[in-house]
Amino acid sequence: MEIHIAADAEAGARTVADVVEQTLRETGELGTVLGLATGDSPVPAYTELIRRHREEGLSFAGSRAFLLDEYVGLPAGHDQSYHRFIREQLTSHVDIDDAAVLSPDGAAADPVAEAAAYDRRIGEAGGVDLQILGIGSNGHIAFNEPGSSLVSRTRVVALTPRTIEDNSRYFESPDEVPVRALTQGLGTILEARRIVLTASGEGKAAAVARLVEGSVSARWPATILQMHPEVLVVVDEAAASQLELADYYRYARDLEVEHAVAGQRV
Ligand code: GLP
């Protein structure tokens, strides 16, 4: 893993945006397949990408995007659907074809079949070049709650009371939060060629400490990312506050900058 403890939210957002920009430029005319996350964590990076598109001509033309997850029971147009969230926060503001921004259909008559079909669609697109991730306070990624199989595929899951509580801020009341979701599995996410996870705030500190330094376990699903060779973790000081080896990560990062070696890993 590469661990980047950012000085502030803007610096963290720039680091995430840099990786997206680099991936877009590398894949060029082949068209990048982006894996997009919802939630508050990646929003500053999305805002920075929109700025680069408007002011610096960064282009998403020819790219496709797959969302990580969607609530079961929310139609695409619902105010709180992730389908809508990603359009409001990123894709409608850049030059990506709207039809190329895919998410699981939360209103599908057969959510189990929809999950399998969505997993297949990702494979048919050639897989994800760059997956952006946030992390839940209980260590979930996408909606892979504690107890998820570490090789799970896209499927229907029951949300934990903690996730429902965490996500209720977007709804009028916790009662309105859907109790099930369609989510890419941990095995699906792990097939992305590169992964950038971003987190901020004290509420994420325990999950970030497990993610980077804990034992790989279904108890903290994000720990499976330790088994992926190309993961960048971008956190602020508060989210990094329970990392035992934070000083080492800072030292390694400074050394990387000093020696201009891109992609040094711990
Ligand atoms: C939701 C999403 C996750 C996201 C997590 C954290 O549960 N399914 O993809 O990472 O929330 O959200 P936030 O970034 O708002 O803290």
Side-chain angles (χ1 to χ4, degrees), residues 29 38 55-56 74 77 80 82 106 113 116 140 151 165 169 184 186 214 225 235-236 248 265:
E29 285 173 12
T38 51
E55 296 175 15
E56 298 169 7
L74 294 194
Q80 298 310 331
Y82 285 169
H140 74 224
V151 294
E165 174 62 31
R169 65 187 189 279
Q184 285 190 36
L186 294 172
L225 297 178
V235 287
D236 67 358
Y248 172 63
R265 312 269 183 277

Side-chain angles (χ1 to χ4, degrees), residues 222-264:
T223 57
I224 193 59
L225 297 178
Q226 293 175 24
M227 305 299 284
H228 191 289
E230 292 284 336
V231 177
L232 170 65
V233 176
V234 181
V235 287
D236 67 358
E237 292 285 348
S241 60
Q242 291 184 33
L243 286 170
E244 284 180 22
L245 305 178
D247 287 344
Y248 172 63
Y249 309 138
R250 285 196 192 90
Y251 161 80
R253 181 84 188 178
D254 289 348
L255 213 59
E256 181 183 343
V257 172
E258 192 184 321
H259 292 264
V261 262
Q264 181 171 288

